[in-house]
Amino acid sequence: MTDRHHLLVYGGTFAAVGDGGDISGVRGGSAPQGLFVRDARHLSRWQLTVDGAVPEALSPVAGGDTARCVLVPRGGRQEPAACTLFREQAVGDSSFVELLRVTSNRPAPATVRLALTVDADFTDQFELRSDHRTYAKAGAVRARQAVEDGVEFTYRRGAWLSRTTVTADPAPDAVEETGTGARRLVWAVELPAHGTAELTLRVVARPHGEKRALRVPRSPAAVTERLLALEGAFLEGVAFPTGWPELSAACARGLADLAALRVPATGPDGEELRVPAAAAPWFLTLLGRDALLTSLFALPYRPRLAAATLPALAATQATGTEPAAVAQPGKIVHEVRHGELAHFGQVPYGRYYGSVDATPLFLVLLGAYVEQTADTGLARRLEPHARAAVGWMLDHGGLTSRGYLVYRADQGGLANQSWKDSVGAICGADGDRPAGPVTAAGAQGYAYDALRRTAWLARTVWDDGTYAALLEQAAGDLRDRFQRDFWMPDRSFPALALDGAGRRVDALASDAGHLLWSGLLDKEYGEAVGRRLLEPDFFSGWGVRTLAAGQGAYHPLSHHRGAVWPHDNALIALGLARYGLHDEARTVAHALVDAATATGHRLPQVLAGYGRDGHAEPVPCPHACVRESRAAATPLALLTAVGGA
């Protein structure tokens, strides 16, 4: 991370700590600092001092699931440090644990005064984004109370109640007020000559509505042991390509990340599930599109992700119309949030449906899951949800009335509701934004595939040939319309979108590769698109750019106007293979695997669009999430697309 904070993730809990293991709580930067559970910051300060001064990092925190660093009191060359501090930290389920070892470097007994300043501000994650918004919180009250072996922080706003408890073993000698609301835990540590003392610090976060009996891990080592067990179970049985060790390493790293990135969810019958979260730090929650694509990429190797994602999304499927949440009957949720601002309706994302493509992708995954596993039970159980999703596409989505899936900008939420959802992402080659309702190209491909796969389910699982024929006809008509309305003959390429008047939005964009994945284009068109995506203005050497260079709208650091997304390229590689462009698919796969190898085998969410010919290492993109489920699953999609070649 560019601001030198290090991310620790365990399910729905994450912490961002600095090089020395501290949390300062300063706002701004590419990641929020603190310990977060269910969208709230449960630790906003965690700052260590030795004899009244901040120690310096002799060995700063490095990457990994456990944060380890070595600290020494500040001093000069002539006076070596009197002691050395070894810090080890990890997050568990709604918890944080630190082991602090203090070792004397002197031949005589000594006393070291340790102090840890702690605070919990319970700030909602949306308040920490760099959008300069403020949110009124009438009647909110924060309180602090010393307990036998530490301190407890509480936050109440009406019926909303959250707690954070900090305890220590041994208990602090004192809990001091600081004048800022924070509390300072203080120890006078007696060290024998060259001796060592240990402190174990534990934090348990109880978000609003938490009813479980939470247990803090006994040590960071216990968390590591648990994570290794989870990762081992996730890797078990997957046949990695022996002839391509770099791809094998990326697949293993991705599966290990997916094991840690699963968050709790509930199915239609109240069953407890674990589904892929979108990304840490900003999106450690269920996002429909992200969970569906992650599950699709992992389907041949870990079908359990799809088996959890599908019922979780069925349970949150809209059953009525709610304009503020962009909800309509049958629509699949885009984002689920559990924080204070969502609870009080100050942000619309408690259950937010501002996505034009999550609903067709739900149907694509359901059909693909049955085809992959031959498990028809889930398709029978979710038949009403699938039919409702098709109903949304045909009615509210616009397939019947407008011929396509169409969305309108949501003034309180997302302006764009395809995967490129930033404000200016859907644009012409010169950067101009379309007026009126938007018909995004990629979503039409998903709709086509959804109709075909659901028709297959209707014919083979639900025994409804009439419904199957209806969907097959709708899919064929959509394909014919699309190639007539979107194809730009002068560029031999499909438009990125249509505007409200049906005019083509003419930017050359990577979304065309999604049309290959869904099979929407005729063979001749598909082959032309596939080869075009590998030309230098599109292909950076690290992957296909979201927007071809040379257009007025292009910017190599813009997430949706020129950067390189691994998951976007995974869909492109799968599409290239589908159209028989195997050399091109291998080119994309090798570029991504090389990028993963350069970044410790973990693909980032997004890379800058700078060309490999001028940059021997992939350039990071600002404000990218550190760990993303779609990027973690991308190596598995590449393995599907090209095998071990």
Side-chain angles (χ1 to χ4, degrees):
M1 298 169 62
T2 56
D3 51 2
R4 294 298 300 173
H5 280 79
H6 307 271
L7 206 64
L8 306 172
V9 182
Y10 189 106
T13 304
F14 78 88
V17 301
D19 276 343
D22 278 353
I23 294 168
S24 67
V26 175
R27 299 193 181 201
S30 62
Q33 299 182 33
L35 172 69
F36 290 81
V37 184
R38 291 170 69 89
D39 300 327
R41 181 159 66 179
H42 281 262
L43 269 185
S44 53
R45 286 188 71 184
W46 189 262
Q47 294 175 300
L48 179 68
T49 59
V50 183
D51 292 329
V54 176
E56 60 181 326
L58 190 63
S59 173
V61 171
D65 295 320
T66 301
R68 295 183 177 89
C69 61
V70 182
L71 311 174
V72 292
R74 296 181 184 273
R77 185 186 299 268
Q78 302 304 318
E79 185 66 23
C83 64
T84 305
L85 299 96
F86 300 86
R87 255 182 137 168
E88 188 175 354
Q89 302 165 322
V91 296
D93 185 12
S94 296
S95 61
F96 177 87
V97 59
E98 173 171 337
L99 176 63
L100 177 61
R101 241 178 339 113
V102 188
T103 299
S104 172
N105 299 324
R106 289 182 171 172
T111 300
V112 176
R113 187 177 189 272
L114 298 180
L116 185 71
T117 302
V118 299
D119 199 5
D121 64 4
F122 301 98
T123 302
D124 192 287
Q125 203 169 326
F126 280 94
E127 298 177 81
L128 298 173
R129 298 189 180 189
S130 300
D131 57 9
H132 308 295
R133 298 184 189 182
T134 57
Y135 301 89
K137 295 185 174 184
V141 177
R142 291 176 59 199
R144 304 96 180 154
Q145 179 180 355
V147 295
E148 183 178 353
D149 49 358
V151 61
E152 182 172 81
F153 301 88
T154 59
Y155 176 82
R156 186 184 293 276
R157 179 183 173 194
W160 182 273
L161 176 63
S162 299
R163 289 190 176 91
T164 298
T165 306
V166 180
T167 58
D169 180 17
D173 299 322
V175 177
E176 302 175 347
E177 295 191 14
T178 63
T180 65
R183 293 296 184 265
R184 185 182 297 114
L185 312 183
V186 180
W187 297 262
V189 179
E190 302 290 341
L191 291 175
H194 295 295
T196 295
E198 289 187 350
L199 281 74
T200 301
L201 304 155
R202 297 184 176 93
V203 181
V204 60
R206 292 182 176 86
H208 175 73
E210 180 61 82
K211 296 180 174 61
R212 297 174 299 160
L214 298 172
R215 297 180 60 187
V216 184
R218 65 183 184 275
S219 67
V223 176
T224 300
E225 183 179 342
R226 174 63 176 152
L227 278 171
L228 288 174
L230 285 173
E231 294 170 2
F234 234 64
L235 268 67
E236 186 176 354
V238 178
F240 297 130
T242 57
W244 194 354
E246 294 83 3
L247 177 57
S248 295
C251 287
R253 178 68 266 170
L255 283 166
D257 282 347
L258 289 175
L261 280 169
R262 291 176 299 158
V263 295
T266 304
D269 299 321
E271 70 272 25
E272 294 182 357
L273 304 165
R274 304 285 289 188
V275 299
W282 294 111
F283 299 99
L284 201 62
T285 189
L286 175 62
L287 266 63
R289 178 193 304 122
D290 296 62
L292 288 161
L293 288 173
T294 297
S295 300
L296 276 161
F297 292 169
L299 182 59
Y301 315 97
R302 280 293 169 262
R304 74 178 78 164
L305 289 177
T309 295
L310 288 163
L313 292 175
T316 54
Q317 187 176 31
T319 57
T321 300
E322 188 179 346
V326 203
Q328 296 156 334
K331 202 173 186 184
I332 295 299
V333 75
H334 169 64
E335 185 170 353
V336 177
R337 290 289 183 174
H338 306 281
E340 174 191 0
L341 297 181
H343 175 84
F344 286 100
Q346 291 175 278
V347 296
Y349 303 111
R351 284 191 182 180
Y352 181 67
Y353 294 83
S355 164
V356 74
D357 49 14
T359 306
L361 286 171
F362 173 82
L363 295 168
V364 171
L365 179 61
L366 181 61
Y369 174 81
V370 175
E371 184 178 359
Q372 178 71 40
T373 66
D375 173 14
T376 59
L378 188 60
R380 294 182 189 281
R381 181 189 178 200
L382 300 184
E383 180 182 353
H385 301 279
R387 288 179 180 264
V390 171
W392 177 83
M393 290 201 304
L394 294 174
D395 299 332
H396 296 284
L399 275 182
T400 299
S401 60
R402 301 182 67 99
Y404 297 108
L405 293 185
V406 177
Y407 67 83
R408 293 166 176 79
D410 175 25
Q411 298 302 317
L414 294 172
N416 284 308
Q417 295 170 27
S418 62
W419 85 265
K420 292 178 176 173
D421 58 5
S422 58
V423 173
I426 304 300
C427 63
D430 58 2
D432 287 347
R433 302 175 192 173
V438 174
T439 305
Q444 315 315 316
Y446 305 158
Y448 170 76
D449 199 15
L451 291 168
R452 291 179 63 253
R453 289 183 183 275
T454 310
W456 176 77
L457 288 175
R459 198 176 296 281
T460 61
V461 180
W462 304 335
D463 194 25
D464 190 341
T466 301
Y467 189 55
L470 171 69
L471 300 186
E472 288 164 348
Q473 181 65 46
D477 292 346
L478 174 58
R479 182 179 177 127
D480 292 342
R481 277 195 304 276
F482 183 90
Q483 297 189 142
R484 178 195 69 213
D485 296 340
F486 276 79
W487 191 255
M488 300 184 292
D490 56 330
R491 302 192 184 189
S492 297
F493 206 77
L496 173 58
L498 304 179
D499 68 9
R503 294 184 293 263
R504 294 169 185 148
V505 180
D506 64 352
L508 301 183
S510 63
D511 302 58
H514 298 215
L515 305 176
L516 305 183
W517 175 64
S518 59
L520 183 59
L521 298 177
D522 287 343
K523 183 175 177 59
E524 179 183 353
Y525 286 174
E527 290 176 350
V529 166
R531 294 191 176 98
R532 181 67 182 83
L533 289 170
L534 270 293
E535 291 184 17
D537 57 345
F538 260 121
F539 186 67
S540 74
W542 301 113
V544 177
R545 299 178 176 100
T546 47
L547 210 66
Q551 302 176 92
Y554 170 75
H555 191 305
L557 296 177
S558 170
H559 282 204
H560 298 132
R561 288 190 175 191
V564 173
W565 289 68
H567 92 273
D568 185 27
N569 277 260
L571 292 171
I572 291 169
L574 289 165
L576 291 168
R578 176 173 188 158
Y579 278 76
L581 300 172
H582 299 293
D583 288 343
E584 289 82 355
R586 280 190 288 270
T587 297
V588 172
H590 277 276
L592 288 173
V593 171
D594 287 349
T597 303
T599 53
H601 304 294
R602 173 182 284 151
L603 280 167
Q605 178 190 34
V606 55
L607 294 166
Y610 295 111
R612 188 172 183 175
D613 53 353
H615 303 274
E617 299 287 330
V619 178
C621 210
H623 308 294
C625 286
V626 178
R627 294 169 69 174
E628 196 212 31
S629 61
R630 293 176 302 180
T634 286
L636 301 174
L638 300 178
L639 181 58
T640 300
V642 304

